[in-house]
Amino acid sequence: MNVEPTEKLSRRHIGRNVQRVRMYFGVKQETLASDLGISQPEVSKIEQQDEIEEGLLSQIADVLGVSPEIIRDFDVEKAIYNINNIRDNTFEQGFTSISQVEHGATSITQQINNPLDKIVELYERLLKSEREKIELLKNR
């Protein structure tokens, strides 16, 4: 049935997705605020909103260099699943990379490895952020 995807879309937290994409690119709230012409506390409020007005989402997406759909449809579970599969297949990928280099496909290997490094970096930042939140809640 088509009920599940609709329910999943309605549970997406667009502000949190903005935060995750921003962090993925290593952009600080202050920098995003400056590029948008707003204050850092306003960016923080935006990142706490479930929904974001389409015009503002488009502006944020432009500043971050992605489409609004990337932000709207960002799915942490899929990213984590992909990262876990990447780590599980590291040995096999290393083998593939070696054979590609031997056959002169160095640029292909670089194109494959760089996005994977970024995904791993994003995942590690998300974990760090979640751990910090847990520590803050414990200290209350």
Side-chain angles (χ1 to χ4, degrees):
M1 298 197 144
N2 292 337
V3 176
E4 187 176 328
T6 306
E7 289 177 12
K8 190 170 185 174
L9 284 175
S10 67
R11 290 187 302 221
R12 293 243 166 97
H13 192 288
I14 306 303
R16 195 172 306 127
N17 289 352
V18 167
Q19 178 187 35
R20 289 174 175 149
V21 172
R22 174 184 61 76
M23 290 174 61
Y24 171 76
F25 288 114
V27 176
K28 294 187 176 198
Q29 282 185 341
E30 294 84 4
T31 305
L32 180 59
S34 174
D35 290 345
L36 292 171
I38 60 177
S39 68
Q40 180 274 323
E42 288 177 281
V43 170
S44 181
K45 287 180 186 176
I46 290 168
E47 291 179 351
Q48 294 172 18
Q49 296 175 357
D50 288 340
E51 295 292 325
I52 297 175
E53 185 265 318
E54 194 61 37
L56 178 58
L57 183 60
S58 292
Q59 287 179 321
I60 293 168
D62 285 342
V63 168
L64 294 175
V66 297
S67 70
E69 291 78 23
I70 296 283
I71 295 172
R72 195 178 304 108
D73 298 335
F74 185 80
D75 188 339
V76 171
E77 291 175 10
K78 287 181 183 176
I80 292 170
Y81 174 80
N82 289 334
I83 290 167
N84 287 336
N85 281 338
I86 290 165
R87 287 188 176 171
D88 291 344
N89 296 322
T90 301
F91 179 75
E92 292 174 27
Q93 287 179 353
F95 239 6
T96 303
S97 296
I98 290 169
S99 66
Q100 286 176 341
V101 170
E102 289 172 354
H103 292 38
T106 308
S107 63
I108 294 171
T109 303
Q110 290 171 344
Q111 289 173 2
I112 292 170
N113 289 335
N114 290 338
L116 299 179
D117 292 341
K118 291 286 187 184
I119 292 170
V120 170
E121 180 183 338
L122 171 63
Y123 178 67
E124 289 170 350
R125 286 183 185 179
L126 289 172
L127 283 176
K128 180 181 176 187
S129 173
E130 293 300 317
R131 287 181 184 129
E132 288 172 356
K133 288 178 189 176
I134 290 170
E135 284 301 314
L136 288 173
L137 290 173
K138 284 182 180 178
N139 293 332
R140 280 191 174 180

